[in-house]
C-alpha cells in the first residue's frame, strides 16, 4: 500500500468479492480510499465507512447507477457522499444516434438467436411435459446426464417452457424452451431417495404441476390414481431394478438441487458435502443444449417408455 | 456452505445465490409478493447475489434503517 500511495493520489480498489469480504478487507488493510464492490449484488444506498475506507456497491443488473462524490483537499478525502440513482426507462422521442446503437446491437443479437443449429426430424413436445414422458424431456434430461456423467438425471417439467417444431431449429427455439438461468448440478442419492424424488414428482400429475419428472437413465411406472406418496410401482436404473440402499449419481438443475418445486429430497441431500459431485455455474443449461444439438446436426428423438402410467 | 435465512441455518452448494437460499428456505414466493432480502447490515440484496459461508439474510417487508458508517 505504501508503494501505491507514493504513486497515486487515491487508491480505489475494484473488487468482486462481495460486500461481506469488502468490509473485512477494509478492516484488515489500511490505506485503501475506496472499494467499489460487486458479486453480492448489494444495494448500498449510502456509502459505508470502515476505518478510513469508503465502500460502495451499486446493486445488480444495471438497475442503478452508483454515484460517489469525493471532496479532496491536499490529496486527502475531506468529505464524501454517494447515492444510487435508479435506472428507469423514460418515454422520450426517438433519438437517431441512440437508435443506431440499439439497432446495431439488435442485429448482433438477432443473428445469434436466429442461427439455424440443427434439423429436428420430429416435433419436440414441450406441451405435455407436465403429464407424461416426452421426447423433449428425454432430450434435455439426456444432455444433462451425459454432461455430468452420472447414472441418471431427473429434472422438473416446469423448466421446459415451449415445444420445438419439426424442421430447422434455431438458438431462439432452445432459449424459448429453457428461458431460465439454470445450470447443472450432480449429487449422490440413494435408491430410496431417488424413489422418494420420483414419488414427489408424480404426486400431483393430475394438477399438471411443474414438478412432474423428466428422466434419463431411469425407467419407471406409476399409478396416477393412487394416493400421493404411493404411486411409484417399479423403477429401473440403467435397465436394472433400483436398489434402495445403493448410492447413485444423479444430475439435475440447480433449482431442483436447492429443493425447488418441492424436491426437498435434493435439498436435504446437499446438507452433506460428501454428496456433492459436480456443478458448473459458468454454463447455462440452454447453452449446453445448443452446443449439443449443434454438434448432432440432426435430432430425431422419440418417447422410449421411460415413464409408464399404469391404469389399475 | 452454511448460511442463515431469518436466523435459520440453510445448507447450500458453493456458487449458489440468494435465490437458491430462498428456494431452500421456502421463501421465494414471499419475494414475489413484495418482500425483500437484506443482509445483516440492512442492505437490500439482489436475488443473483453470491453467498458466502456464514452470511445472514433476512426476508422482510420493510427495510430497517441501520447506521452504516
Amino acid at each position: 500500500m505504501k508503494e501505491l500511495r507514493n504513486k497515486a493520489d487515491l487508491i480505489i480498489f475494484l473488487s468482486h468479492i462481495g460486500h461481506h469480504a469488502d468490509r473485512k478487507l477494509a478492516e484488515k488493510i489500511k490505506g485503501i480510499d475506496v472499494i467499489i464492490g460487486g458479486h453480492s449484488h448489494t444495494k448500498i444506498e449510502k456509502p459505508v465507512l470502515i476505518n478510513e475506507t469508503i465502500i460502495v456497491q451499486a446493486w445488480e443488473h444495471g438497475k442503478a447507477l452508483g454515484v460517489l462524490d469525493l471532496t479532496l483537499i491536499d490529496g486527502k478525502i475531506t468529505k464524501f457522499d454517494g447515492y444510487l440513482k435508479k435506472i428507469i426507462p423514460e418515454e422520450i422521442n426517438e433519438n437517431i444516434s441512440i437508435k443506431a446503437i440499439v439497432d446495431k446491437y439488435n442485429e448482433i443479437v438477432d443473428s445469434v438467436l436466429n442461427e439455424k443449429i440443427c434439423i429436428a426430424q420430429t416435433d419436440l413436445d414441450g406441451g405435455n411435459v407436465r403429464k407424461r414422458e416426452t421426447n423433449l424431456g428425454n432430450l434435455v434430461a439426456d444432455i444433462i446426464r451425459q454432461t455430468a456423467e452420472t447414472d441418471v438425471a431427473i429434472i422438473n417439467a416446469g423448466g421446459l417452457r415451449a415445444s420445438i417444431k419439426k424442421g430447422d431449429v434455431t438458438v431462439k427455439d432452445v432459449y424459448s424452451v429453457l428461458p431460465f438461468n439454470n445450470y447443472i448440478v450432480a449429487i449422490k442419492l440413494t435408491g430410496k431417495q431417488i424413489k422418494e424424488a420420483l414419488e414427489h414428482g408424480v404426486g400431483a400429475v393430475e394438477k399438471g404441476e411443474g414438478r412432474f419428472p423428466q428422466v434419463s437413465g431411469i425407467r419407471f411406472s406409476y399409478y396416477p390414481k393412487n394416493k400421493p406418496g404411493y404411486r411409484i410401482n417399479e423403477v429401473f436404473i440403467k435397465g436394472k431394478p433400483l436398489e434402495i440402499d445403493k448410492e447413485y449419481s444423479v444430475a439435475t438443475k440447480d433449482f431442483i438441487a436447492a429443493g425447488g418445486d418441492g424436491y426437498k429430497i435434493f435439498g436435504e441431500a446437499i446438507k452433506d458435502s460428501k454428496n456433492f459431485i459436480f456443478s458448473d455455474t459458468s454454463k447455462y443449461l440452454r447453452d449446453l443444449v445448443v452446443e449439443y444439438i449443434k454438434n448432432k446436426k440432426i435430432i430425431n428423438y422419440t418417447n422410449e417408455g421411460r415413464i409408464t402410467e399404469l391404469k389399475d | 456452505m452454511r448460511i442463515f435465512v431469518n436466523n435459520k441455518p440453510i445448507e447450500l452448494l458453493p456458487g449458489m445465490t440468494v435465490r437458491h437460499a430462498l428456494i431452500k428456505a421456502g421463501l421465494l414466493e414471499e419475494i414475489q409478493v413484495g418482500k425483500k432480502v437484506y443482509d445483516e447490515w440492512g442492505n437490500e440484496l439482489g436475488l443473483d447475489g453470491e453467498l458466502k459461508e456464514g452470511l445472514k439474510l433476512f426476508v422482510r417487508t420493510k427495510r430497517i434503517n441501520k447506521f452504516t458508517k
Side-chain angles (χ1 to χ4, degrees):
Chain A
M1 293 304 296
K2 274 183 191 166
E3 198 181 313
L4 274 177
R5 181 60 71 189
N6 290 335
K7 294 179 190 168
D9 297 326
L10 281 178
I11 297 176
I12 298 177
F13 191 100
L14 302 178
S15 89
H16 198 264
I17 54 178
H19 183 61
H20 195 262
D22 287 341
R23 295 178 78 106
K24 282 193 173 164
L25 187 69
E27 280 165 11
K28 289 188 177 171
I29 311 281
K30 303 275 186 285
I32 302 172
D33 293 301
V34 180
I35 298 175
I36 300 175
H39 198 54
S40 52
H41 296 211
T42 309
K43 187 181 179 184
I44 300 180
E45 297 188 62
K46 280 286 175 194
V48 176
L49 187 67
I50 304 272
N51 292 327
E52 291 185 347
T53 302
I54 299 159
I55 304 173
V56 292
Q57 193 175 148
W59 208 7
E60 66 174 2
H61 305 320
K63 291 176 187 167
L65 174 71
V67 179
L68 177 64
D69 293 321
L70 302 173
T71 305
L72 279 87
I73 296 177
D74 296 332
K76 284 202 164 187
I77 297 170
T78 55
K79 196 177 151 196
F80 70 91
D81 196 12
Y83 60 95
L84 295 182
K85 185 175 169 52
K86 273 198 178 181
I87 296 172
I88 301 166
E90 283 179 17
E91 288 282 334
I92 52 169
N93 291 331
E94 190 175 275
N95 177 309
I96 292 169
S97 58
I98 299 292
K99 185 179 181 298
I101 297 169
V102 172
D103 285 348
K104 181 184 149 194
Y105 283 99
N106 272 342
E107 209 172 291
I108 295 168
V109 170
D110 285 347
S111 73
V112 171
L113 291 179
N114 293 327
E115 183 191 352
K116 290 173 187 171
I117 49 174
C118 85
I119 296 167
Q121 292 188 321
T122 54
D123 288 340
L124 294 164
D125 180 7
N128 293 296
V129 284
R130 293 167 184 240
K131 296 181 223 162
R132 56 178 169 81
E133 173 194 349
T134 80
N135 56 351
L136 181 64
N138 288 349
L139 170 67
V140 176
D142 282 352
I143 293 170
I144 290 175
R145 182 174 61 81
Q146 286 170 33
T147 304
E149 298 179 341
T150 52
D151 297 320
V152 302
I154 302 173
I155 55 169
N156 63 324
L160 304 168
R161 307 299 261 198
S163 296
I164 294 177
K165 287 271 178 205
K166 181 180 169 180
D168 289 331
V169 179
T170 64
V171 173
K172 196 175 187 175
D173 292 326
V174 176
Y175 277 33
S176 300
V177 171
L178 298 161
F180 305 114
N181 296 341
N182 290 127
Y183 57 90
I184 298 175
V185 171
I187 60 172
K188 289 177 199 159
L189 291 182
T190 62
K192 184 172 180 277
Q193 288 173 314
I194 289 175
K195 194 176 174 201
E196 279 177 42
L198 295 174
E199 278 287 8
H200 171 73
V202 300
V205 60
E206 63 278 14
K207 295 178 191 163
E209 288 188 3
R211 63 164 117 159
F212 189 81
Q214 295 292 327
V215 297
S216 175
I218 299 180
R219 190 158 53 83
F220 72 92
S221 57
Y222 76 104
Y223 293 100
K225 291 190 178 161
N226 279 9
K227 199 175 147 187
Y230 298 90
R231 292 182 175 181
I232 296 294
N233 180 40
E234 286 180 312
V235 182
F236 294 89
I237 306 272
K238 292 180 173 173
K240 292 181 182 170
L242 178 96
E243 292 176 49
I244 291 297
D245 297 322
K246 188 177 169 181
E247 207 167 60
Y248 297 93
S249 55
V250 182
T252 187
K253 302 183 303 181
D254 58 306
F255 174 73
I256 298 298
D261 262 352
Y263 277 93
K264 287 186 180 164
I265 206 77
F266 283 87
E268 286 298 310
I270 64 167
K271 274 185 181 173
D272 188 344
S273 59
K274 283 185 290 183
N275 291 327
F276 174 60
I277 302 173
F278 165 94
S279 86
D280 184 357
T281 58
S282 70
K283 281 189 180 172
Y284 288 140
L285 173 59
R286 56 173 171 256
D287 295 319
L288 290 167
V289 172
V290 167
E291 207 174 288
Y292 178 91
I293 64 175
K294 200 172 180 179
N295 287 334
K296 286 277 173 195
K297 294 185 177 70
I298 292 171
I299 293 287
N300 189 356
Y301 249 74
T302 53
N303 291 351
E304 300 171 347
R306 296 182 190 187
I307 303 173
T308 305
E309 191 179 299
L310 301 168
K311 298 293 173 198
D312 298 305
Chain B
M1 167 173 64
R2 172 178 284 193
I3 61 130
F4 298 85
V5 179
N6 292 346
N7 296 316
K8 286 185 186 165
I10 297 283
E11 298 288 341
L12 294 167
L13 296 175
M16 286 189 158
T17 62
V18 172
R19 187 187 309 276
H20 295 108
L22 299 186
I23 292 168
K24 188 85 187 279
L27 293 172
L28 192 60
E29 288 79 9
E30 303 275 304
I31 303 304
Q32 284 149 8
V33 296
K35 288 193 180 177
K36 309 272 186 198
V37 192
Y38 299 94
D39 65 15
E40 61 195 276
W41 300 283
N43 301 305
E44 189 183 331
L45 297 174
L47 295 185
D48 292 325
E50 291 273 342
L51 301 170
K52 259 195 163 51
E53 180 73 37
L55 207 73
K56 294 181 179 112
L57 306 181
F58 298 92
V59 178
R60 57 177 178 247
T61 37
K62 276 189 179 177
R63 175 180 168 164
I64 296 169
N65 282 318
K66 281 196 170 183
F67 187 62
T68 54
K69 283 190 178 183

